[in-house]
Amino acid sequence: MNTNLRTFIAIKINPAPKLLEVTARCRELFENEAIKWVGSDNLHLTLKFLGETSEKQVQEITTSLENRAAQVSPFSLQLKGLGYFESGRQPKVLFAGVQEWEEMKTLAQKIDEDVSPLGFAKEKRKFNPHLTLGRIKFLKDKKRFYSFVEKYKNI
């Protein structure tokens, strides 16, 4: 029996009222679009995507993360507007950007180094901190979507 889990390492986010206001506006404006929204109780900042992970690896990762977390002080994140990721010139993910913060980049890098000996490849892509707000399956009105994102790109 295969007991592998699809896993990632993330920081759970407690959203500020302004973020909740913007996401509610998004949901309202795009209620007729094929977008799967992330619930406010499930917002997170992914530090490392792991993929298929065995139960043994989960235990080892947990120990590693507990050791790493003991070295990190609590912090707040500053968001910096809306954006989207594309695939094939189609918007696929609506996100809130996260203000560049050197300590967070360092934390993601150290976690990457911590889990490498446990069988996970080191990340080749640049760390791009963001909060996924919705996964877009299809947009009927792309113009309205682009306009909305443009309006909130710096808020």
Side-chain angles (χ1 to χ4, degrees), residues 17-88:
K18 182 68 176 175
L19 178 60
L20 294 175
E21 177 186 316
V22 170
T23 56
R25 179 77 179 114
C26 286
R27 287 175 188 236
E28 179 184 303
L29 189 61
F30 301 111
E31 68 182 346
N32 294 320
E33 297 286 6
I35 300 174
K36 183 178 180 190
W37 298 103
V38 176
S40 60
D41 59 332
N42 203 19
L43 289 172
H44 60 274
L45 173 68
T46 300
L47 296 173
K48 171 91 176 143
F49 178 76
L50 300 172
E52 293 296 313
T53 309
S54 71
E55 288 183 27
K56 181 177 186 263
Q57 285 174 309
V58 169
Q59 292 169 354
E60 293 169 333
I61 293 163
T62 300
T63 299
S64 176
L65 289 174
E66 286 171 347
N67 292 336
R68 179 61 59 201
Q71 301 170 26
V72 178
S73 299
F75 58 87
S76 295
L77 298 174
Q78 181 70 36
L79 300 180
K80 66 168 197 177
L82 294 182
Y84 59 91
F85 295 126
E86 290 182 317
S87 176

Side-chain angles (χ1 to χ4, degrees), residues 39-147:
S40 60
D41 59 332
N42 203 19
L43 289 172
H44 60 274
L45 173 68
T46 300
L47 296 173
K48 171 91 176 143
F49 178 76
L50 300 172
E52 293 296 313
T53 309
S54 71
E55 288 183 27
K56 181 177 186 263
Q57 285 174 309
V58 169
Q59 292 169 354
E60 293 169 333
I61 293 163
T62 300
T63 299
S64 176
L65 289 174
E66 286 171 347
N67 292 336
R68 179 61 59 201
Q71 301 170 26
V72 178
S73 299
F75 58 87
S76 295
L77 298 174
Q78 181 70 36
L79 300 180
K80 66 168 197 177
L82 294 182
Y84 59 91
F85 295 126
E86 290 182 317
S87 176
R89 298 186 47 89
Q90 298 294 322
K92 292 296 179 187
V93 173
L94 174 66
F95 66 83
V98 177
Q99 190 73 35
E100 197 66 31
W101 186 59
E102 199 58 41
E103 287 85 352
M104 186 173 29
K105 274 198 326 194
T106 300
L107 176 60
Q109 181 181 21
K110 289 190 180 293
I111 287 172
D112 196 33
E113 292 167 5
D114 292 344
V115 299
S116 178
L118 304 177
F120 299 95
K122 287 198 174 187
E123 188 59 58
K124 293 179 179 136
R125 296 175 294 177
K126 179 182 177 256
F127 181 61
N128 185 3
H130 65 278
L131 298 181
T132 296
L133 302 178
R135 289 174 182 79
I136 303 163
K137 295 177 185 170
F138 180 77
L139 289 173
K140 293 179 263 182
D141 191 347
K142 288 183 197 166
K143 186 176 179 181
R144 182 170 53 157
F145 174 81
Y146 294 134
S147 176

